[in-house]
Amino acid sequence: MSIPAPYPASTIGAVAIQIRQVPYDHPDAAKLDAEVQLEYAARYDSEGDATVLHPRMFDPPGGIYLLAYDADDRPVATGGWRSQAANDEGYSDGDAEIKRMYVTVEARGLGLARRILARLEESARAAGRTRMVLETGTKQPEAIALYRSSGYTDCSKFGYYRDDPLSICLAKPL
């Protein structure tokens, strides 16, 4: 499988960052997914996010998965979206659902989540998606602040955690 060329490298502060499109089952994606699961488990006193995700859900044109790499080629941030259609879990036709947004502890504060979010929105719009949706939780105030400051507003709850009182669902028209 050929990996598309990376997005242009840029520098944030003194850190050179490169965002690359990769398959969801790429070893670096699996590494960061394991880290985010540990963070979810610690924040929510749980086993992590139990939402079932299959690697093909993130294959273009029905989705995309991105990793950000630092100057030493270490994966430091991740995020993806997958297509959704109207169903009994509360999604609507044209939805692009954000999954696995995460920035490693050492790379926080560099604006990486905001950059990945912008790339996800751009690619979902280009793929014909009409609304970006996401589910986060009350114990993730940093994520809530990022999304709200990026134009996301509360929407009807959807997805695996739609009945969980700690769940917050947000949406933004594309």
Side-chain angles (χ1 to χ4, degrees):
M1 168 194 255
S2 129
I3 304 290
Y7 288 101
S10 65
T11 301
I12 299 177
V15 181
I17 299 295
Q18 188 176 76
I19 297 176
R20 301 177 198 159
Q21 181 180 332
V22 300
Y24 179 69
D25 55 0
H26 185 282
D28 291 337
K31 177 185 182 295
L32 291 190
D33 187 58
E35 285 184 30
V36 73
Q37 290 299 333
L38 289 173
E39 185 154 336
Y40 293 152
R43 288 186 186 221
Y44 294 96
D45 192 27
S46 71
E47 297 295 316
D49 184 352
T51 305
V52 175
L53 298 178
H54 299 288
R56 302 297 66 89
M57 291 176 172
F58 298 95
D59 287 350
I64 192 172
Y65 203 77
L66 302 175
L67 285 176
Y69 289 85
D70 68 10
D72 295 321
D73 208 34
R74 290 179 301 212
V76 293
T78 184
W81 67 265
R82 62 183 180 163
S83 295
Q84 294 288 359
N87 63 31
D88 61 356
E89 287 191 356
Y91 295 99
S92 297
D93 287 336
D95 282 353
E97 182 186 16
I98 295 173
K99 296 302 293 179
R100 296 302 188 260
M101 285 286 291
Y102 175 69
V103 178
T104 62
V105 173
E106 62 273 9
R108 291 180 185 169
L110 299 175
L112 297 180
R114 193 169 299 281
R115 287 189 52 216
I116 288 176
L117 182 61
R119 298 287 171 100
L120 294 176
E121 291 173 353
E122 175 187 300
S123 67
R125 190 178 302 109
R129 302 280 92 194
T130 57
R131 182 175 81 145
M132 195 66 107
V133 299
L134 64 98
E135 185 274 333
T136 190
T138 59
K139 296 183 180 185
Q140 294 169 263
E142 311 91 333
I144 296 166
L146 167 72
Y147 297 127
R148 290 196 191 284
S149 71
S150 298
Y152 288 77
T153 58
D154 290 21
C155 66
S156 298
K157 291 179 91 173
F158 59 84
Y160 185 84
Y161 291 100
R162 65 190 174 278
D163 297 322
D164 189 321
L166 299 178
S167 173
I168 296 172
C169 290
L170 302 170
K172 178 180 178 179
L174 295 173

